[in-house]
Amino acid sequence: MSKRSERVADALHRELAELLRGEVKDPRLHGLTVTAVEVAPDLTHAKVFVSHVEGKAVWPDCERALGKASGFLRSQIAGMLNTYTVPQMKFVYDDSLARGLSLSSLIDKAIAEDKQHPQDE
């Protein structure tokens, strides 16, 4: 990724997070978090990774809501970015947080079970 696309990705990340938190009123999007943004080198497309506090089960509703809000989001971002165009955004569910919590839980469980058994000598 070029330095310019990295800067645009960072700006998109910040602005989208702020817009989703404060400006978008759709209740289906409450609890949604922007985890990462990848922007194409030509700045025409962006892949926006999001997660939700309720997990992947609510993703279909969130995806529909994001589709409806995408025009509003692009128009708001257009006024904030200093670029010729605003990237088309594709929203993708990011389950890395859930996987991380699951792995952490498994590790905690293994440690607890290990403490219950005497050490082999």
Side-chain angles (χ1 to χ4, degrees):
M1 194 178 335
S2 71
K3 289 286 185 190
R4 185 168 187 221
S5 60
E6 284 181 25
R7 285 193 310 268
V8 171
D10 288 343
L12 270 176
H13 190 157
R14 279 192 313 274
E15 299 303 335
L16 281 171
E18 195 64 36
L19 287 169
L20 288 171
R21 187 173 337 135
E23 299 294 323
V24 177
K25 303 299 182 200
D26 194 321
R28 296 176 291 182
L29 298 178
H30 293 174
L32 196 69
T33 302
V34 178
T35 58
V37 177
E38 293 177 357
V39 177
D42 63 359
L43 307 180
T44 58
H45 293 84
K47 191 182 289 188
V48 181
F49 296 91
V50 296
S51 65
H52 197 280
V53 295
E54 293 181 29
K56 195 169 184 170
V58 298
W59 175 239
D61 287 337
C62 289
E63 192 171 25
R64 282 190 290 280
L66 286 167
K68 288 187 176 192
S70 65
F72 168 76
L73 293 171
R74 286 189 79 219
S75 67
Q76 294 297 306
I77 289 170
M80 300 172 189
L81 290 181
N82 292 328
T83 60
Y84 182 71
T85 62
V86 176
Q88 288 285 340
M89 293 177 282
K90 178 181 180 192
F91 294 93
V92 178
Y93 188 77
D94 181 8
D95 63 351
S96 61
L97 294 175
R99 281 187 311 196
L101 289 174
S102 175
L103 286 174
S104 179
S105 174
L106 286 173
I107 292 169
D108 291 344
K109 182 179 176 183
I111 290 172
E113 286 179 9
D114 198 36
K115 286 181 179 179
Q116 291 178 351
H117 300 304
Q119 295 287 334
D120 294 331
E121 294 189 32

